[in-house]
Amino acid sequence: MAALTKPKNLQDVAAPGRDGVGASPLRPDGILKVKGDFAYSSDLWHEDMLWGMALRSPHARARILSVDVSAALAQPGVYAVLTHEDIPGSKFYGLEIRDQPVLAIDEVRFHGEPIVIVAADHPETARRAIAKIVVEYDVLPSIGPVEALDPERYGYVHAPADYKAHAFGNIVHSQHIHHGDGDSAEVRALADVIVRGEYEVGMQDQAFLGPESGLAVPAEDGGIDLYIATQWLHVDRQQMCPVLGLPPEKVRLTLAGVGGAFGGREDISMQVHACLLAQHTGKPVKIVYNREESFFGHVHRHPATMVFEHGATRDGRLVFVKAEIVLDGGAYASTSPAVVGNAASLGIGPYVIPHAAVDATAVYTNNPPCGAMRGFGAVQMCFGYETQMDRLAAELGLDPVELRRMNAMEQGSVLPTGQVVDAPAPVAELLRRVKEMPLPEVENWRTADGPDVRELPGGLSNTTHGEGVVRGIGYAVGIKNVGFSEGFDDYSTARVRLEVIGGAPVALVHTAMAEVGQGGITVHAQIVRTELGVDQVTMAPADTRVGSAGSTSASRQTYMTGGAVKQAAEAVRAVVLARGRDRYGWAPAFAAGLRLAGGKALTAAGEVVADLVDLLGDEPVDETTEFRHRPTEAFDKVTGQGFGHVQYTFCAHRAVVDVDVELGLVKVIELAAAQDVGKAINPLAVVGQIHGGSTQGLGLAVMEEIIVRDGKVRNPSFTDYLIPTILDTPPMPVDVLELADAHAPYGLRGAGEAPTLSSTPAIVAAIRAATGLPLNRVPVRPEHLTGT
Amino acid sequence: MRSFTYTRPAEPAQPWTELGPDAMYIAGGTNLVDLMKCGVAAPGRLVDIGRLPLADIEVDAATDTLRIGALVPNSDLAAHPVVRERLPVLSRALLAGASPQLRNLATLGGNLMQRTRCGYFRDLAMPCNKRVPDSGCAALDGEHRGHAVLGTSSRCIATHPSDLAVALLALEARVSIDGPNGPRAEPIEAFHLPPGETPERETTLTHGELITAVEVPMTTLGAHSYYLKVRERASFAFAMCSAAVALEVREGTVRAARIALGGVATTPWRAYAAEAALIGGPPSTGAFARAGDAATEGAVPGRDNGHKVELIRRVVARALSTLAATDTPATDTPATDTPATGTPKSPGTGEAPRTGEAPGSTEGEHR
Amino acid sequence: MRETLGLTGPKKGCDLGQCGACTVLVDGRRITSCLTFALMHGGREVTTIEGLGGDPEGDLHPVQQAFVDHDAFQCGFCTPGQIMSAVALLAEGHAGDDDEIREWMSGNLCRCAAYPNIVAAITAAAGR
């Protein structure tokens, strides 16, 4: 390993500050990040390293007739050209279903699917070698989500013979939820008003700024060391080992700097390719995607078509809901089954509805594979059910917020899955809070010097000085689960070591948690300071030398790895205090009542009874523990009943927009959020998460969509796939509520995803209020507003 | 990217002597490097003209002409006090384009040479007559929501991406060119070529020629000009539709008008019919709407870009009314019939002031 | 710059001038370094994030410090570009108010959307 230039963030990083749980210390990696010293996976360098690259399919669906790599192999500087035939182990991988070929075998199923990988001494050499590979295709008509439902006529994305999913046809996974009497004729008769709507959500991309990249280094023991940007080191390894034909102990992963994730790094991308090339050449291999390849190289948010029917009494009580959801899963399963589970179980929103019939299905198509993205199945649904709530309110002549509050779930409510909500569920309160926040000034663009175009739709594009501008206000609220659900054994591992270094107690925290910018390591240092009463905390790089932390997804890491760090620190404390029993003869009950703070052991009354340094002596305490949340259970296949989710999280938004209704331009004036986080372990980070999620929801509302035509991605660039700039991002006041969930560490509630849900429908509701247009599809485009 | 040799001529006189058959000039590089990276451009040799002495902005008092060197960065041109005061459309068009970093790199000449953002042009796996003559046009039946409706041909509907060129067209700028066959100059309108049968030819430049300067007459019209751009986010995005407009109004009558369009045509597009619709009449809301209608003359929308036809109407009308309302000095007598700008409605009334026609009713007219 | 000189502070977010993560200063002016060849800048002073604070082990530049203090990033990938852009913005005199900061920072994308904190950091660095 000597030849690897090991950057500072792949070494132990000191976490500065004295702040514990509930404070907002600065990030331990912050200085490195502002100095440009923080090495992302794309910044790694190894002596003699090669560059890997993939040849990708230009077609959405085609049979591969032949692959000729001879010219590429003959090119000087090329060290390896590999096809599926060169894979030593299994040729498939996948998070839930191993249906995705590492390299295409006899058929390509999506635009951008990798077919051949090359390692060369320079990226340019690799690119030229790729250009010399000749692949003959028999191009087939691609199967979209509509065709997928009629395989007899249009065919199968995966031939039935090698079908790997658990359902049938082109269906990846389905989940039905039957609650009360569903949508039976009797139930329908109870409703005075029934509102039906069809909705569509376009394909959103995570668009993290740091493209997929990593460095695979062959080791002397025949194994591989991989430095990688990912969300979950251990599940990457779990998928790679069978492909590489190596046991887990020979595939060692270390987290390199991660330039954002948002779900897009939940699946593996270049990991296994780099390792195969390193294994084959015996040399270190680095792969870095460019932006276009990044758009092809990771899964996207599932596009959804949704049909909802809501029935209510005249006075606004919801009677039933029926929802039929089809999610475009793309060519391979990825996390489609879990996304379906979320869409079904969270599909009616945070409301108490006595009768519900929900069907969610993900289909295989020849579109790009879809999987995890922040909000995971709940985002699409929230656009649907919240639009329905507005429509129902209009139909009933009720205030839309009031209608929501009347039907809001609360602690003790029964969900359509039969699960009783056993923690605070302040849905009505969050709505009240966003509604009561002061509204931004009307016509805020008027100044003494005339209109300030910067405050108007179109902004500096000079489109309006107030002409055609109409304000609208919209509300939405959403529900998201936290952690892995449906019976998954969700756990995280943490190791905490406490020792005296230079006369002071120092704690080391070692987990495999992927810090992707969420601030997990900041929080871990806070937890250790709180639990062990030390100032100096050091963060070890995340790697597979310690047990799995699970994924940095599902809003789960503060709960899960935070919980694991807390548990490990508690174990360390117990050992330390036990030493006091030996050293000072403390009675067990006395020792158990002590706490550690400021480098001392104290009684509950605050009396110092020992110095931590003395308690520790020269013998470190080193504890590793696994933390689990309460077990969940799978949803019944027929009825969808079951304790499927361990925790729920809620966020409400109020969006205020100005719309230039003539030119179709929207300016979000303000996007206010209220969210319950149970306990804000780091309030600054919580607000950052809410800002981030809200802004990604804004992107989905008004600009973000991967355009796929006949299976082909048409806008794989940041010029053609637009994400919000700083000018598109409005002031975002945040009201954080802290109602503890007694089941969770410190009472906390996962925070990262919920704001992504309600932001989109709140903004679109505001645009509807301004324009009177139905707007059943996101993103809303200018032409949807100009009616042309 | 293909390997290339690089040279930076020390002497400015004749950079084309450095140019071989397989060579291209590079200045700011914002477009060429992009195209080289995605494989659309693959020169064997780059001749860096970036340090030739073509970066001055000079006012010729005798002819009241602004002479802008081809290498003036967009940011400098936008910030130039004479441009801001006498040619506001130019400054506004520049600031409505790209990002501060790109405007620092990008040059005037390069901006006029920039190539389309058509996704098929950039996708080597797809046919494109502009990239590979006679290979076909995938956009015609493909994804063309953002494509041109004016100046199109059966071989290409790619949109010209420049904002700056649209402003220069409205200002009737002249492009100065030098090359192996000696210097020449031509109106910018003639400089950009519609695709016709040869979409691969985008300008009149022949191999070895380069733009040396652009001359902009500093007329009354230029001083009363405006640039409006509709794009899909608040900054850093290409135009869905833009308009550069200039008006000269005397005694309540439009004496001269210039209207050029961006984002909707295969070249920077001069809307003569729209200008004609204004001249001789009052600068009224009705006249501006009629000009908007006229601006769509000849539009040929495809399956998914019909919205641009209506957008042209609205953008032209809005640009004119904004200019008339915010730029009083040229208007020595106010318009007589109706106020040129609507009073903004109070928030929350929900009643949208609408110009143009009812949604959907205009679709077929201009096919 | 990244591979030969090992200056990996400027990032390849898009490599096509669409994200701003590679922003550097050339003779004090900010540019997207991905769209230009190093050869073209012979004799010019190029400042990357690594050169901003002067001494690599020394104090932070005031803009760097402000970004740390205001938590103006999450993943940090766009941060070197954001900071270089902000340094140029201050020199250009474009920090008059929040709207002006937003206008002149709009060439730097941040997917984590730390935008409110970026505005706060630049405002603080501007001494307002």
Side-chain angles (χ1 to χ4, degrees):
Chain A
M1 288 318 307
L4 175 74
T5 310
K6 218 165 200 179
K8 290 174 183 163
N9 51 307
L10 295 191
Q11 304 165 27
D12 290 353
V13 173
R18 303 190 141 198
D19 294 325
V21 167
S24 293
L26 301 175
R27 295 166 184 273
D29 51 9
I31 303 280
L32 294 177
K33 284 181 174 177
V34 300
K35 289 180 81 168
D37 283 347
F38 186 87
Y40 294 84
S41 49
S42 50
D43 298 332
L44 301 176
W45 185 89
H46 195 292
E47 198 178 325
D48 288 337
M49 74 180 184
L50 303 175
W51 294 79
M53 206 165 285
L55 170 73
R56 293 175 180 274
S57 169
H59 306 293
R61 183 176 178 224
R63 268 189 288 276
I64 298 173
L65 302 177
S66 68
V67 179
D68 181 358
V69 302
S70 52
L73 262 177
Q75 177 167 306
V78 171
Y79 284 73
V81 182
L82 308 182
T83 69
H84 73 92
E85 290 175 356
D86 302 300
I87 296 170
S90 165
K91 296 187 181 188
F92 295 89
Y93 70 95
L95 274 172
E96 297 191 25
I97 303 169
R98 291 184 182 248
D99 64 352
Q100 184 154 4
V102 172
L103 293 167
I105 299 169
D106 47 10
E107 186 175 346
V108 285
R109 297 187 179 84
F110 74 96
H111 181 201
E113 180 161 5
I115 304 165
V116 184
I117 47 176
V118 167
D121 56 8
H122 191 276
E124 227 17 77
T125 317
R127 195 167 291 126
R128 284 174 203 159
I130 292 282
K132 289 180 177 168
I133 297 167
V134 182
V135 182
E136 277 187 286
Y137 300 97
D138 174 18
V139 179
L140 303 169
S142 71
I143 297 170
V146 174
E147 294 84 9
L149 294 172
D150 189 358
E152 293 291 309
R153 182 167 172 197
Y154 296 103
Y156 293 86
V157 176
H158 297 266
D162 55 67
Y163 199 72
K164 296 173 182 69
H166 10 206
F168 59 91
N170 284 318
I171 291 171
V172 189
H173 188 71
S174 285
Q175 180 67 59
H176 180 70
I177 307 259
H178 184 87
H179 174 58
D181 293 322
D183 70 326
S184 67
E186 293 77 11
V187 161
R188 287 173 168 270
L190 297 173
D192 300 319
V193 171
I194 296 177
V195 171
R196 183 179 185 280
E198 296 182 19
Y199 306 96
E200 267 187 59
V201 175
M203 186 185 287
Q204 190 179 18
D205 189 70
Q206 298 84 356
F208 41 71
L209 266 267
E212 291 84 346
S213 47
L215 173 65
V217 184
E220 285 176 6
D221 66 353
I224 303 264
D225 291 288
L226 177 67
Y227 300 85
I228 186 70
T230 181
Q231 291 176 223
W232 187 356
L233 293 165
H234 287 76
V235 86
D236 283 5
R237 177 167 76 171
Q238 185 187 318
Q239 292 175 87
M240 287 195 296
C241 284
V243 177
L244 300 171
L246 291 172
E249 63 274 15
K250 288 203 172 176
V251 181
R252 295 163 293 255
L253 278 69
T254 303
L255 188 76
V258 185
F262 318 116
R265 298 188 209 267
E266 185 118 320
D267 291 78
I268 60 174
S269 55
M270 45 57 63
Q271 283 90 328
V272 69
H273 294 160
C275 289
L276 283 168
L277 290 168
Q279 203 176 20
H280 197 86
T281 60
K283 284 173 162 286
V285 175
K286 175 170 166 174
I287 294 182
V288 182
Y289 285 180
N290 64 21
R291 179 52 52 186
E292 179 178 284
E293 195 170 18
S294 178
F295 273 103
F296 291 124
H298 61 255
V299 300
H300 313 290
R301 187 191 298 293
H302 289 73
T305 54
M306 303 175 281
V307 182
F308 277 95
E309 279 185 282
H310 279 70
T313 59
R314 182 55 61 193
D315 62 357
R317 291 283 161 197
L318 289 169
V319 173
F320 81 94
V321 60
K322 177 177 169 61
E324 291 178 346
I325 300 114
V326 177
L327 300 158
D328 182 351
Y332 298 105
S334 178
T335 49
S336 280
V339 170
V340 166
N342 270 12
S345 59
L346 305 171
I348 71 163
Y351 302 110
V352 178
I353 309 180
H355 309 284
V358 183
D359 269 304
T361 296
V363 290
Y364 280 120
T365 66
N366 292 116
N367 288 334
C370 289
M373 182 175 171
R374 195 177 198 168
F376 201 79
V379 162
Q380 298 92 325
M381 305 308 298
C382 190
F383 175 66
Y385 60 70
E386 285 301 84
T387 305
Q388 283 285 102
M389 292 302 278
D390 284 342
R391 203 147 284 167
L392 191 58
E395 188 72 27
L396 293 168
L398 290 172
D399 174 79
V401 172
E402 194 46 41
L403 176 70
R404 287 175 169 87
R405 291 180 61 186
M406 278 171 65
N407 292 285
M409 61 182 274
E410 55 192 14
Q411 185 162 5
S413 295
V414 180
L415 297 174
T417 55
Q419 184 175 343
V420 177
V421 178
D422 58 4
V427 176
E429 173 65 10
L430 293 172
L431 283 163
R432 185 186 71 76
R433 285 178 178 235
V434 282
K435 179 142 196 191
E436 289 181 2
M437 280 193 204
L439 276 164
E441 191 188 339
V442 293
E443 298 192 352
N444 57 315
W445 42 269
R446 286 195 190 280
T447 72
D449 305 327
D452 182 347
V453 295
R454 301 178 306 176
E455 301 292 344
L456 281 159
L460 292 145
S461 314
N462 304 306
T463 50
T464 179
H465 288 68
E467 312 92 308
V469 173
V470 183
R471 180 156 291 188
I473 299 172
Y475 294 88
V477 62
I479 176 172
K480 177 71 185 57
N481 61 317
V482 173
F484 293 148
S485 301
E486 299 186 54
F488 191 90
D489 179 23
D490 190 8
Y491 72 96
S492 180
T493 316
R495 174 181 159 232
V496 174
R497 178 185 173 92
L498 185 60
E499 63 191 314
V500 178
I501 299 176
V506 178
L508 174 86
V509 184
H510 185 192
T511 77
M513 179 205 66
E515 167 66 53
V516 301
Q518 82 276 25
I521 60 170
T522 320
V523 160
H524 294 174
Q526 291 174 254
I527 290 171
V528 166
R529 283 192 211 105
T530 291
E531 297 302 329
L532 297 180
V534 295
D535 287 348
Q536 294 188 46
V537 182
T538 303
M539 315 308 297
D543 57 32
T544 49
R545 288 179 303 154
V546 66
S548 174
S551 181
T552 299
S553 64
S555 305
R556 64 181 283 287
Q557 280 297 21
T558 303
Y559 190 133
M560 296 305 298
T561 305
V565 169
K566 177 172 187 277
Q567 190 173 283
E570 286 165 349
V572 166
R573 185 176 59 209
V575 173
V576 169
L577 294 178
R579 285 190 189 165
R581 287 176 8 216
D582 301 339
R583 193 156 298 167
Y584 304 115
W586 295 340
F590 176 79
L594 297 175
R595 62 194 171 91
L596 300 175
K600 319 274 186 200
L602 304 127
T603 63
E607 184 197 347
V608 174
V609 295
D611 258 13
L612 184 52
V613 169
D614 296 334
L615 276 168
L616 279 166
D618 51 12
E619 195 184 344
V621 181
D622 201 322
E623 294 291 328
T624 301
T625 65
E626 280 180 3
F627 175 79
R628 281 176 166 74
H629 62 62
R630 289 183 291 163
T632 58
E633 58 191 30
F635 297 122
D636 182 89
K637 280 187 168 46
V638 178
T639 65
Q641 300 300 293
F643 185 89
H645 301 302
V646 70
Q647 190 184 56
Y648 295 93
T649 176
F650 309 92
C651 182
H653 276 94
R654 181 189 67 201
V656 178
V657 305
D658 277 348
V659 183
D660 180 337
V661 297
E662 293 170 16
L663 300 184
L665 297 172
V666 175
K667 181 175 177 68
V668 182
I669 297 294
E670 186 199 77
L671 189 53
Q675 184 170 338
D676 177 24
V677 301
K679 164 74 183 171
I681 305 295
N682 183 320
L684 189 63
V686 164
V687 171
Q689 285 297 306
I690 295 171
H691 284 167
S694 300
T695 306
Q696 289 178 9
L698 183 157
L700 178 61
V702 296
M703 63 181 84
E704 290 185 33
E705 183 176 7
I706 292 187
I707 306 292
V708 181
R709 187 171 281 280
D710 299 328
K712 297 207 186 165
V713 175
R714 295 278 31 119
N715 57 342
S717 78
F718 279 159
T719 294
D720 304 304
Y721 181 91
L722 297 179
I723 64 173
T725 71
I726 195 167
L727 264 175
D728 298 280
T729 307
M732 294 183 282
V734 170
D735 188 354
V736 172
L737 194 60
E738 296 180 274
L739 301 180
D741 176 350
H743 307 286
Y746 305 109
L748 73 84
R749 202 183 283 278
E753 290 173 289
T756 319
L757 276 57
S758 43
S759 163
T760 306
I763 289 167
V764 178
I767 302 172
R768 277 189 212 104
T771 62
L773 295 167
L775 306 179
N776 292 332
R777 186 183 199 283
V778 283
V780 174
R781 302 286 194 186
E783 63 262 35
H784 301 150
L785 303 180
T786 56
T788 56
Chain B
M1 197 186 299
R2 184 183 165 196
S3 291
F4 58 88
T5 58
Y6 170 89
T7 182
R8 191 167 64 220
E11 290 303 315
Q14 296 186 323
W16 48 87
T17 59
E18 304 274 351
L19 212 65
D22 191 24
M24 292 178 80
Y25 294 124
I26 188 166
T30 54
N31 193 223
L32 180 57
V33 177
D34 172 13
L35 293 173
M36 288 169 73
K37 286 184 176 179
C38 64
V40 172
R45 179 175 175 82
L46 285 182
V47 177
D48 183 356
I49 55 170
R51 300 204 193 174
L52 300 185
L54 299 173
D56 292 330
I57 302 176
E58 298 160 352
V59 177
D60 182 340
T63 58
D64 220 8
T65 298
L66 189 71
R67 187 180 167 84
I68 311 161
L71 294 174
V72 172
N74 287 350
S75 48
D76 291 3
L77 184 56
H80 197 277
V82 174
V83 173
R84 289 163 63 104
E85 192 193 328
R86 309 252 342 242
L87 302 166
V89 68
L90 200 50
S91 184
R92 285 179 185 276
L94 285 161
L95 291 175
S99 71
Q101 295 97 306
L102 290 171
R103 296 197 293 265
N104 277 342
L105 268 178
T107 63
L108 169 67
N111 190 298
L112 298 186
M113 297 299 295
Q114 73 177 303
R115 310 203 68 189
T116 184
R117 284 297 313 179
C118 173
Y120 298 104
F121 174 68
R122 300 170 64 85
D123 183 349
L124 302 186
M126 297 297 284
C128 170
N129 288 322
K130 194 182 272 299
R131 176 165 37 77
V132 181
D134 299 325
S135 61
C137 173
L140 287 173
D141 292 320
E143 174 61 30
H144 59 237
R145 173 181 166 267
H147 282 65
V149 294
L150 290 164
T152 57
S153 78
S154 62
R155 298 172 71 81
C156 183
I157 57 170
T159 309
H160 195 275
S162 174
D163 291 299
L164 172 63
V166 176
L168 290 173
L169 180 62
L171 295 169
E172 294 192 341
R174 287 178 71 78
V175 182
S176 298
I177 295 158
D178 204 353
N181 299 322
R184 63 185 180 94
E186 65 186 345
I188 188 166
E189 180 164 26
F191 179 75
H192 290 106
L193 301 173
E197 294 297 307
T198 54
E200 71 278 11
R201 273 207 80 198
E202 295 176 349
T203 69
T204 63
L205 287 193
T206 56
H207 189 69
E209 285 191 319
L210 75 163
I211 300 170
T212 53
V214 171
E215 291 186 354
V216 188
M218 294 197 289
T219 60
T220 308
L221 268 173
H224 303 287
S225 61
Y226 192 73
Y227 192 78
L228 183 158
K229 175 175 178 178
V230 171
R231 50 183 164 180
E232 293 189 70
R233 70 180 173 192
S235 179
F236 205 3
F238 287 92
M240 283 181 77
C241 179
S242 68
V245 295
L247 281 178
E248 188 180 335
V249 180
R250 301 274 174 225
E251 294 159 355
T253 300
V254 177
R255 298 299 164 96
R258 301 268 178 74
I259 300 173
L261 303 174
V264 291
T266 55
T267 60
W269 187 262
R270 180 86 177 261
Y272 285 106
E275 295 172 7
L278 290 172
I279 291 168
S284 64
T285 303
F288 296 155
R290 285 191 294 279
D293 280 342
T296 66
E297 192 179 286
V300 182
R303 182 193 57 230
D304 295 330
N305 60 356
H307 60 96
K308 286 202 168 183
V309 178
E310 180 60 23
L311 195 55
I312 290 168
R313 285 194 181 90
R314 298 184 186 192
V315 161
V316 166
R318 176 69 69 76
L320 290 166
S321 63
T322 304
L323 175 62
T326 58
D327 182 72
T328 44
T331 315
D332 57 7
T333 314
T336 47
D337 60 351
T338 50
T341 52
T343 308
K345 299 284 175 171
S346 331
T349 60
E351 180 55 40
R354 287 183 186 280
T355 60
E357 292 161 65
S361 69
T362 59
E363 264 278 307
E365 285 180 23
H366 299 279
R367 283 179 191 279
Chain C
M1 188 168 72
R2 287 172 50 84
E3 268 92 46
T4 309
L5 300 178
L7 295 173
T8 56
K11 302 301 178 203
K12 283 190 187 183
C14 68
D15 212 20
L16 297 173
Q18 303 160 355
C19 76
C22 66
T23 301
V24 303
L25 308 183
V26 173
D27 288 343
R29 291 163 67 105
R30 51 176 156 158
I31 64 162
T32 46
S33 59
C34 69
L35 287 184
T36 197
F37 297 116
L39 271 172
M40 294 164 66
H41 298 282
R44 293 176 179 157
E45 183 179 89
V46 178
T47 310
T48 71
I49 188 81
E50 287 93 340
L52 199 57
D55 174 10
E57 301 304 320
D59 290 343
L60 298 180
H61 183 281
V63 174
Q64 290 172 318
Q65 188 64 52
F67 268 62
V68 171
D69 293 343
H70 290 83
D71 204 34
F73 52 89
Q74 290 175 24
C75 84
F77 193 85
C78 71
T79 307
Q82 299 277 0
I83 289 173
M84 297 313 288
S85 224
V87 167
L89 173 152
L90 292 170
E92 292 158 9
H94 284 140
D97 60 23
D98 287 2
D99 278 335
E100 192 177 15
I101 290 171
R102 284 194 194 96
E103 175 186 356
W104 291 91
M105 287 302 290
S106 65
N108 292 82
L109 302 180
C110 171
R111 186 51 159 172
C112 304
Y115 293 135
N117 295 353
I118 290 171
V119 175
I122 296 173
T123 301
R128 276 204 285 118

